[in-house]
């Protein structure tokens, strides 16, 4: 399968296979009026299979979202068809308005104007907890 | 502004200091009878409570202060859709300290972030109830003379029982504690509580469904109610509510100096026949709760520079 290389934009590479769609949705890439390619299950020597997202526009991405979904992903910035920058990704300490608390007893379930804030509670297991009710992010 | 939302907001030194103050209040009530003169406590109760609200109010009165109460959320601006944050900001204009109970988890945190005065969490859903833990700690301290080397049995709803989670967090800070966790399979202590407060500190514990077999080794038996309001499914509640009922017969192998505790209200987990047993401590907990709330109000108002 061939996908055109991009001239100016962003490539999110080395996404764990199966995580690309979640990242696509959380980054709200479907709302962009530019060419975006989500390629699933690409053969990879290192990973076996991986997902790749290519965005044909010079946009700023919320790296916290990428770090939350897959801290192993890499972000490559392309300018004039040349790789100009590789951004390092880490699990963010705090996630603000990225995911919603699913606990129906949480105060955020009835006070919609509150920011949805999660803190990294266990880096080893990539576990985040709601700062209000301490429920684990699902 | 310093608030107390969770028992983890208080260091071990602060817990010890609060106990010391409470004991001094018990021994020298006159010394504290005017310490909050002219100061006002707001009790904001968005869900029903008898003990906790009256305990806070009695505490403030015994410190010489005043109380303004909101006991029926239906008759307040909350019924018009006012947010917890706005309510806290508003009440900050009238009073010096807030004690708040709310059915939603995290509500007290939201109030504390918004308020310009100290907020004490008087229970936020199934999440935290730090002043119950303070009551429990003073009770254990007075009954046992300290916290070290106790075998503590926790029985009933260990899954949703917020008082159990907080008590475990507090007691795990002391030396030689051992836990016996007694519950039906469905209401076992959540793994994150075990991981955070027991396993990480290498504290010995056993899990069982059998209260009677656990009884002989216990220094403390902390009974809890299976709470209807924490279940989404009435069938599950009905199936589990009578899992453990403590009767005099079940105490026949218990230690002579066992302390039987319960955060109350009880439904039928402890037979009334046990109330006259000298080992029953649950009404002492109620009284101790008032003293610890007095100590906490003093501490937070002092830190805020109000008294």
């Amino acid at each position: 399968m061939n996908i055109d290389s991009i001239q100016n934009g962003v490539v999110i590479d080395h996404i764990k296979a199966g995580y690309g769609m979640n990242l696509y949705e959380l980054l709200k890439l479907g709302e962009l009026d530019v060419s975006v390619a989500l390629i699933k299950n690409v053969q990879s020597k290192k990973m076996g299979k991986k997902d790749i997202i290519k965005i044909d526009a010079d946009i700023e991405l919320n790296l916290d979202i990428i770090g939350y979904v897959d801290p192993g992903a890499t972000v490559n910035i392309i300018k004039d068809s040349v790789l100009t920058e590789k951004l390092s990704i880490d699990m963010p300490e705090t996630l603000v308005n990225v995911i919603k608390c699913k606990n129906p007893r949480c105060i955020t379930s009835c006070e919609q104007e509150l920011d949805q804030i999660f803190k990294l509670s266990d880096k080893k297991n990539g576990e985040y907890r709601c700062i209000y009710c301490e429920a684990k992010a699902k | 502004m310093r608030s107390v939302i969770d028992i983890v907001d208080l260091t071990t030194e602060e817990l010890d200091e609060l106990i010391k103050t409470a004991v001094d209040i018990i021994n020298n009530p006159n010394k504290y009878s005017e310490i909050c003169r002219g100061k006002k406590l707001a009790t904001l109760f968005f869900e029903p409570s008898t003990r906790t609200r009256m305990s806070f109010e009695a505490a403030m009165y015994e410190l010489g202060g005043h109380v303004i109460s909101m006991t029926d959320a239906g008759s307040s601006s909350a019924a018009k859709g006012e947010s917890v944050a706005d309510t806290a900001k508003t009440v900050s204009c009238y009073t010096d300290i807030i004690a708040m109970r709310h059915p939603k988890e995290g509500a007290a945190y939201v109030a504390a972030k918004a308020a310009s005065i100290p907020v004490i969490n008087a229970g936020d859903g199934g999440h935290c109830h730090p002043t119950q833990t303070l009551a429990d700690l003073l009770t254990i301290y007075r009954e046992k003379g300290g916290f070290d080397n106790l075998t503590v049995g926790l029985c009933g709803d260990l899954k949703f029982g917020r008082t159990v989670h907080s008590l475990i967090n507090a007691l795990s800070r002391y030396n030689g504690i051992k836990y016996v966790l007694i519950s039906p399979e469905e209401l076992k202590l959540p793994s994150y509580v075990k991981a955070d407060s027991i396993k990480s500190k290498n504290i010995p514990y056993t899990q069982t469904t059998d209260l009677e077999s656990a009884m002989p080794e216990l220094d403390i038996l902390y009974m809890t109610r299976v709470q209807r309001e924490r279940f989404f499914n009435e069938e599950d509640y009905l199936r589990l509510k009578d899992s453990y009922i403590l009767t005099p017969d079940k105490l026949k192998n218990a230690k002579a100096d066992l302390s039987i505790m319960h955060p109350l209200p009880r439904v039928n987990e402890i037979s009334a026949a046990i109330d006259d047993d000298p080992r029953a401590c649950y009404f002492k907990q109620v009284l101790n709760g008032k003293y610890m709330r007095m100590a906490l109000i003093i501490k937070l108002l002092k830190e805020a520079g109000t008294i």
Side-chain angles (χ1 to χ4, degrees):
Chain A
M1 189 168 76
N2 292 320
I3 305 279
D4 289 347
S5 55
I6 56 176
Q7 289 195 321
N8 290 292
V10 184
V11 177
I12 310 172
D13 201 354
H14 303 108
I15 306 166
K16 262 187 239 160
Y19 285 54
M21 185 55 86
N22 188 20
L23 194 51
Y24 180 90
E25 283 171 356
L26 286 175
L27 288 169
K28 297 181 178 157
L29 299 179
E31 294 172 13
L32 293 179
D33 192 19
V34 300
S35 297
V36 178
L38 163 60
I39 318 161
K40 291 175 65 178
N41 299 321
V42 179
Q43 292 299 320
S44 161
K45 278 185 191 164
K46 250 193 335 196
M47 302 172 70
K49 279 181 182 176
K50 66 177 181 178
D51 291 355
I52 301 175
I53 294 174
K54 291 187 174 187
I55 306 157
D56 194 12
D58 186 11
I59 59 161
E60 257 188 46
L61 293 172
N62 184 338
L63 299 182
D64 284 353
I65 295 177
I66 302 171
Y68 166 65
V69 174
D70 184 1
T74 55
V75 176
N76 303 321
I77 309 296
I78 312 291
K79 282 192 178 147
D80 298 326
S81 303
V82 176
L83 170 65
T84 58
E85 201 178 353
K86 272 193 176 225
L87 301 178
S88 60
I89 302 295
D90 200 2
M91 265 183 225
E93 285 297 318
T94 308
L95 280 175
V96 181
N97 296 328
V98 174
I99 47 172
K100 284 189 174 179
C101 185
K102 300 271 173 62
N103 175 8
R105 301 179 181 91
C106 180
I107 185 71
T108 58
S109 70
C110 64
E111 297 210 352
Q112 312 287 330
E113 78 287 359
L114 288 170
D115 282 330
Q116 294 272 350
I117 306 175
F118 285 78
K119 289 258 185 210
L120 180 61
S121 58
D122 182 352
K123 193 164 183 174
K124 195 174 142 205
N125 295 312
E127 185 180 290
Y128 285 83
R129 285 187 183 274
C130 170
I131 63 156
Y132 303 100
C133 68
E134 297 181 272
K136 213 183 335 181
K138 286 178 184 162
Chain B
M1 184 57 60
R2 179 81 189 275
S3 290
V4 173
I5 306 305
D6 191 335
I7 198 69
V8 300
D9 296 337
L10 295 164
T11 65
T12 311
E13 291 72 32
E14 286 177 316
L15 293 178
D16 293 341
E17 172 205 321
L18 287 167
I19 288 168
K20 196 174 157 196
T21 305
V23 170
D24 198 41
I25 291 169
I26 292 165
N27 294 329
N28 306 289
N30 290 338
K31 189 172 142 190
Y32 296 90
S33 63
E34 292 292 323
I35 197 168
C36 289
R37 188 183 172 86
K39 304 303 169 196
K40 291 181 288 267
L41 164 77
T43 49
L44 307 182
F45 277 66
F46 294 81
E47 93 176 343
S49 158
T50 309
R51 241 166 315 285
T52 308
R53 181 174 61 79
M54 290 181 74
S55 177
F56 269 109
E57 294 181 359
M60 193 56 169
Y61 283 126
E62 290 190 28
L63 295 170
H66 303 282
V67 176
I68 298 176
S69 275
M70 188 203 78
T71 54
D72 178 9
S75 66
S76 74
S77 288
K80 299 176 195 164
E82 184 173 56
S83 68
V84 167
D86 283 1
T87 302
K89 283 179 189 165
T90 304
V91 174
S92 297
C93 300
Y94 305 139
T95 61
D96 302 287
I97 187 165
I98 293 170
M100 188 176 107
R101 170 166 290 187
H102 197 285
K104 290 293 183 182
E105 299 173 8
Y109 174 82
V110 172
K113 283 280 172 199
S116 55
I117 59 175
V119 174
I120 302 172
N121 184 5
D124 59 339
H127 183 219
C128 297
H129 190 3
T131 60
Q132 178 63 50
T133 307
L134 295 179
D136 299 341
L137 290 176
L138 181 60
T139 304
I140 294 171
Y141 180 84
R142 294 182 76 189
E143 295 301 312
K144 301 294 181 194
F147 304 109
D148 292 343
N149 304 315
L150 295 174
T151 298
V152 182
L154 300 144
C155 178
D157 177 4
L158 309 188
K159 183 179 180 185
F160 297 113
R162 58 190 172 190
T163 58
V164 168
H165 304 171
S166 296
L167 183 60
I168 288 175
N169 177 287
L171 286 177
S172 293
R173 305 176 195 192
Y174 296 93
N175 297 323
I177 291 285
K178 183 184 169 194
Y179 295 112
V180 182
L181 308 172
I182 308 149
S183 71
E185 280 296 321
E186 297 91 330
L187 297 176
K188 274 162 73 172
L189 193 72
S191 53
Y192 72 90
V193 178
K194 251 183 278 174
D196 292 352
S197 300
I198 300 180
K199 288 181 179 172
S200 65
K201 295 175 179 171
N202 293 321
I203 294 172
Y205 73 97
T206 52
Q207 290 192 116
T208 177
T209 55
D210 185 0
L211 171 60
E212 280 177 271
S213 68
M215 192 68 81
E217 63 172 323
L218 304 181
D219 298 305
I220 307 276
L221 173 59
Y222 195 94
M223 298 291 294
T224 60
R225 173 172 63 100
V226 176
Q227 300 170 87
R228 171 177 260 148
E229 60 271 31
R230 306 292 171 228
F231 284 82
F232 289 122
N233 182 338
E234 180 76 1
E235 277 176 29
D236 286 344
Y237 166 71
L238 293 173
R239 184 166 51 81
L240 295 168
K241 73 183 176 72
D242 294 331
S243 298
Y244 300 100
I245 298 174
L246 189 63
T247 55
D249 185 48
K250 289 184 180 151
L251 285 173
K252 61 180 185 290
N253 294 322
K255 286 184 181 173
D257 64 347
L258 172 72
S259 295
I260 304 164
M261 298 174 66
H262 190 298
L264 300 182
R266 70 176 152 178
V267 179
N268 60 353
E269 319 73 70
I270 301 180
S271 154
I274 290 176
D275 293 359
D276 294 329
D277 190 307
R279 294 172 288 188
C281 294
Y282 26 96
F283 290 107
K284 292 179 185 173
Q285 277 169 271
V286 177
L287 183 59
N288 288 329
K290 182 189 72 177
Y291 294 128
M292 284 302 261
R293 288 179 180 108
M294 290 169 79
L296 184 60
I297 290 169
I298 292 169
K299 176 179 171 60
L300 293 180
L301 288 180
K302 274 189 177 169
E303 285 186 19
T306 309
I307 57 172

